[in-house]
Amino acid sequence: MIRCLAIDDEPLALKQLVTYISKVPFLELAAQCQSALEARAFLENDTVDAIFCDINMPDLNGMDFVKSLAVPPLVVFTTAYSEYAVEGFRVNAVDYLLKPFGLQDFQRAANRIKELKELEKLKELEELKELEKLKELENNGSAANSTPAVEDSTLFLKTDYRIVKVSIPDIRYVEAMSEYLKVWIEGEAKPIITLLSMKKMEERLPDYFMRIHRSYIVNLTKIQEVNKNRVIMDKNTYLPIGDLYKEAFQAYLNTRFLGK
């Protein structure tokens, strides 16, 4: 099921969204909100896969709300104003529904969300298979080589026109950004941006780093809290746990969990 959030300040429009969601078998309504501020409060304690969001709302409009999310889910904008369409697609909206829209238009947007979620899971599965093959090769190589490997605690990253030395224990998490990576360092306000694949980075990092999402590798020693389907690194940083990574991450937690 795809968990979704419906947001609209107009009660009748919100009721219509909720009705349409109930008619799509693969959608599950997580919550309905009458403002972006209410939706933001909900997302502080929960996660969703998709948002159906009105744009023209008081206090905080839907566009600015989505831009403010550190890790926005898939978004479908709904509005009565066609001039928002171009801006909507600039923030990578899945679709744009112009009011009044019918169930057929809504179903089209829902199908796009489903296709993107399935594609995301497929990519995660392919990356996991590649990683398993690499680990198998590394284990075979280690067995054949009797010389113990000395783990290096530093690496060098090329960023802009510089090559920067990075202490691996100081890396908080790594974030994928198209063909680039953002490497977030303890005590630094801005990340190091480098042209590198997640697979290459994952191969280089030691065991206390774990892939929790197609787009995130975290330093397990830097985690402050785990809340449902999110890892909390600090009060401003919430990272999602991908479906295909939940089992491995939960297994890690179980080895360190104290309590009933």
Side-chain angles (χ1 to χ4, degrees):
M1 296 291 285
I2 297 173
R3 300 183 77 244
C4 54
L5 181 62
I7 312 168
D8 201 306
D9 64 311
E10 299 177 9
L12 290 177
L14 183 59
K15 183 178 179 180
Q16 183 189 52
L17 268 179
V18 171
T19 300
Y20 285 169
I21 289 169
S22 70
K23 292 181 181 295
V24 180
F26 54 82
L27 293 183
E28 175 188 352
L29 181 67
Q32 51 181 303
C33 302
Q34 287 191 278
S35 72
L37 297 179
E38 184 183 345
R40 178 184 283 175
F42 172 81
L43 290 176
E44 286 178 358
N45 299 304
D46 209 334
T47 59
V48 295
D49 301 303
I51 293 176
F52 293 91
C53 182
D54 185 30
I55 294 178
N56 193 26
M57 294 186 290
D59 299 324
L60 178 65
N61 72 49
M63 199 77 66
D64 291 336
F65 162 66
V66 171
K67 290 178 181 177
S68 73
L69 298 177
V71 187
L74 299 174
V75 178
V76 173
F77 284 120
T78 65
T79 184
Y81 302 93
S82 59
E83 61 266 25
Y84 285 117
V86 174
E87 188 178 356
F89 287 114
R90 283 177 180 167
V91 295
N92 294 323
V94 174
D95 207 344
Y96 176 95
L97 296 176
L98 186 62
K99 297 178 181 179
F101 54 87
L103 179 59
Q104 186 175 356
D105 292 325
F106 182 86
Q107 180 76 60
R108 182 196 69 224
N111 287 340
R112 288 183 179 177
I113 288 174
K114 183 182 179 183
E115 289 169 2
L116 289 171
K117 290 299 294 181
E118 289 174 348
L119 182 60
E120 182 179 295
K121 288 184 178 181
L122 181 61
K123 287 181 178 179
E124 289 178 351
L125 186 60
E126 289 174 348
E127 289 174 354
L128 280 174
K129 287 180 178 178
E130 287 184 11
L131 182 60
E132 287 172 359
K133 289 180 181 178
L134 287 169
K135 286 183 177 179
E136 185 178 348
L137 290 172
E138 288 175 359
N139 291 335
N140 291 339
S142 298
N145 188 356
S146 60
T147 304
V150 178
E151 183 176 272
D152 193 354
S153 63
T154 62
L155 53 81
F156 289 87
L157 298 175
K158 186 175 181 181
T159 177
D160 296 327
Y161 299 101
R162 301 175 297 135
I163 296 178
V164 181
K165 182 181 178 181
V166 176
S167 171
I168 294 177
D170 289 340
I171 297 175
R172 298 178 63 235
Y173 64 97
V174 180
E175 177 182 0
M177 184 182 65
S178 187
E179 296 179 350
Y180 291 82
L181 297 182
K182 291 182 179 179
V183 182
W184 294 88
I185 308 296
E186 189 76 40
E188 299 292 336
K190 295 182 178 180
I192 295 171
I193 299 177
T194 184
L195 180 61
L196 194 66
S197 70
M198 286 288 273
K199 185 174 72 173
K200 287 288 186 183
M201 179 61 80
E202 197 169 10
E203 291 171 14
R204 178 64 182 84
L205 293 174
D207 291 342
Y208 56 89
F209 284 82
M210 180 177 284
R211 186 83 167 266
I212 62 166
H213 187 275
R214 186 167 59 88
S215 300
Y216 294 99
I217 300 171
V218 298
N219 184 335
L220 297 169
T221 69
K222 305 291 185 182
I223 294 174
Q224 291 188 2
E225 186 178 337
V226 179
N227 188 328
K228 296 184 179 178
N229 294 325
R230 299 184 300 180
V231 165
I232 300 174
M233 307 300 289
D234 56 52
K235 64 179 181 180
N236 297 315
T237 309
Y238 300 77
L239 307 180
I241 303 171
D243 290 341
L244 292 176
Y245 299 89
K246 285 179 183 177
E247 185 177 347
F249 184 69
Q250 186 60 52
Y252 162 77
L253 292 180
N254 290 343
T255 63
R256 288 158 177 78
F257 183 75
L258 294 179
K260 297 181 179 179

